[in-house]
Amino acid sequence: MSPMNGLSQLFPTWPLAPSGLFWVGLALVGAGLAGEVCRMYLRLPRIVGYAATGLLAGTLGRPIVDQTMIAQTRILIDMALALALFELGHRLSLVWLRANRWLLFTSASESLLTWGLVTAVLQWIGVSPTVAILAGGIAVSTSPSIVLQLKNELRAEGQVTERLMAMTALNSMYAAVIVQLATGWLHSEYGNLGAALLHPLYLLVGSCLLAWLVGKLSQAVYARMPADDQYSFLVLVGIVLFTLALTRLLKLSMPLTLLLAGVVFKHQDNQPRVWPAHFGSAGTLLIIVMVVSLGLPVTVRDWSIAGVAAIVLVLLRHLAKLGGVVSLGSFSGLSLRQCVALGVALGPMSGLAYLLMSDVARLYPETGEMLNAIVLCALAIEQIAAPVLAAWALRYAGEVRGNGGGR
């Protein structure tokens, strides 16, 4: 055995140099405390405290929060989003959509209005057409993670909540498809006509095929396990995370694959099962890490070049979603009060928007720079404001049980 080189191997060096894990752990402690302050004293959803902590950590810790640390959080964001998307797909009932086609029509119309309005106005204020189209497509999305987190925290149940779950799943699909088709147009702008035709086709067909295989395989495995065994969900979590890895390996659409896999899995399952909220505590922890992480990359420069566009995007998407639902929601059996609540509750935007944006930025950094700034600034606003509005909307609809996680 070689001798030690001195006492430096036995005792900490000075000054102390904490690793990235130290700061991540500290941020999570702060996020947990901030979430409880929001719940107990401000009567706001915990997720507002998580988002505020991430933004504060990103602002004050700029010398520490480098690109390496931000890149390392991507896998955690992907894992949290994968679990939420699969769960949301499992909650989407095709039988219900067939019986209530006005709900499907309302969702499609609201999404189309959001995309068109955001795209048109962003171009009018000077954003390039390509970036405006992509930003408009991303604006269509409603965050699966935040919506599910709010539902569980507030213990919300009812017509508005069920429609919110369904429309969040549909909006996620629409946003993924729009961004994929817009990426194909982006390929053509850069002179790659082959990629413009083949890449969107590969993403759509490949993602659907993989989702079908995963849904079938998941049910084949899961059906052989006891329905009341909570540990059987570990197998399901493993399948979801394995599917996430496959989408990255095959370069397919993760949102589309996981959502559709959840839908296929649900409609192969003839045995009723109790679905754990966010796959238990581990899933909830991933949601917290995701929300905190999304506040880290935002810089003052992002606000200087895209702050106005981000504010416009946020205002227009809320207006379009509210207007789309209020104008058509009554045909699916909702009162005006319920339509207003549903339109407001569709506002949350989080990890899915970040994922769609970063995939475009990875392919085309020149286009991605402006898109990145717009989406990051919009997320900084939406992760604070939208959960507050969505929680208010569910209370306004009368669907929050008990004190809804409040004091």
Side-chain angles (χ1 to χ4, degrees):
M1 295 179 62
S2 59
M4 291 184 296
N5 295 326
L7 295 178
S8 61
Q9 293 184 349
L10 298 177
F11 299 98
T13 58
W14 191 264
L16 296 175
S19 65
L21 182 61
F22 173 90
W23 297 111
V24 171
L26 185 62
L28 288 179
V29 171
L33 293 174
E36 289 307 306
V37 168
C38 285
R39 181 186 71 88
M40 295 178 64
Y41 299 108
L42 303 178
R43 297 189 63 81
L44 297 175
R46 288 183 179 94
I47 209 160
V48 175
Y50 307 154
T53 301
L55 289 170
L56 189 63
T59 302
L60 300 181
R62 186 50 54 192
I64 302 167
V65 180
D66 56 13
Q67 289 302 315
T68 301
M69 182 182 293
I70 292 172
Q72 289 171 347
T73 63
R74 171 63 191 266
I75 184 60
L76 299 175
I77 294 172
D78 284 357
M79 291 169 65
L81 193 56
L83 294 173
L85 287 165
F86 189 86
E87 179 181 348
L88 199 63
H90 184 270
R91 292 174 181 269
L92 184 62
S93 173
L94 298 182
V95 175
W96 185 35
L97 289 179
R98 281 197 295 268
N100 192 347
R101 295 183 182 179
W102 271 105
L103 175 61
L104 186 62
F105 184 68
T106 301
S107 173
S109 300
E110 167 265 307
S111 296
L112 186 62
L113 178 61
T114 302
W115 182 32
L117 188 61
V118 171
T119 299
V121 177
L122 284 183
Q123 289 186 69
W124 182 69
I125 65 173
V127 177
S128 69
T130 303
V131 172
I133 289 171
L134 288 164
I138 292 171
V140 167
S141 67
T142 299
S143 172
S145 307
I146 291 183
V147 166
L148 286 169
Q149 181 77 12
L150 286 173
K151 179 189 183 301
N152 293 324
E153 181 178 335
L154 300 174
R155 293 181 292 161
E157 298 290 344
Q159 287 294 313
V160 171
T161 303
E162 291 305 311
R163 282 166 169 76
L164 175 61
M165 296 294 108
M167 291 181 70
T168 298
L170 293 170
N171 284 359
S172 300
M173 292 183 193
Y174 300 150
V177 171
I178 290 171
V179 172
Q180 287 163 12
L181 294 176
T183 303
W185 182 38
L186 194 57
H187 290 319
S188 68
E189 284 205 334
Y190 280 87
N192 196 338
L193 295 180
L197 296 174
L198 295 178
H199 189 223
L201 184 64
Y202 171 73
L203 288 174
L204 294 173
V205 175
S207 298
C208 291
L209 286 176
L210 180 58
W212 184 82
L213 289 172
V214 169
K216 288 280 191 179
L217 175 64
S218 301
Q219 183 53 38
V221 173
Y222 198 57
R224 288 166 172 75
M225 306 187 74
D228 57 349
D229 184 2
Q230 61 176 330
Y231 295 103
S232 63
F233 278 100
L234 292 175
V235 176
L236 198 56
V237 171
I239 292 173
V240 170
L241 297 183
F242 178 67
T243 305
L244 168 62
L246 279 179
T247 60
R248 293 306 176 211
L249 182 66
L250 300 175
K251 297 185 177 180
L252 294 172
S253 170
M254 187 271 272
L256 200 56
T257 301
L258 268 300
L259 265 171
L260 292 177
V263 173
V264 174
F265 176 79
K266 174 185 177 66
H267 290 84
Q268 294 294 314
D269 191 358
N270 296 319
Q271 185 176 11
R273 300 171 187 268
V274 178
W275 193 267
H278 287 313
F279 288 88
S281 300
T284 301
L285 177 60
L286 285 173
I287 297 295
I288 297 173
V289 173
M290 181 196 77
V291 174
V292 173
S293 299
L294 291 177
L296 299 179
V298 188
T299 64
V300 174
R301 182 175 182 275
D302 292 328
W303 285 106
S304 67
I305 65 175
V308 173
I311 293 171
V312 168
L313 182 148
V314 167
L315 293 176
L316 290 177
R317 72 182 292 272
H318 280 273
L319 180 64
K321 289 182 180 299
L322 178 60
V325 175
V326 168
S327 61
L328 297 172
S330 60
F331 294 103
S332 67
L334 294 181
S335 66
L336 178 60
R337 186 186 188 94
Q338 290 173 319
C339 290
V340 171
L342 179 57
V344 174
L346 284 169
M349 190 169 76
S350 187
L352 179 58
Y354 178 83
L355 174 69
L356 295 172
M357 173 272 294
S358 58
D359 284 347
V360 174
R362 176 177 51 82
L363 290 174
Y364 294 104
E366 300 87 352
T367 299
E369 183 181 8
M370 184 61 179
L371 182 66
N372 179 84
I374 292 174
V375 172
L376 285 179
C377 292
L379 288 180
I381 300 170
E382 290 287 39
Q383 289 203 132
I384 299 291
V388 176
L389 293 173
W392 171 86
L394 292 174
R395 290 191 176 97
Y396 181 68
E399 298 191 359
V400 173
R401 300 293 175 256
N403 58 11
R407 188 160 40 181

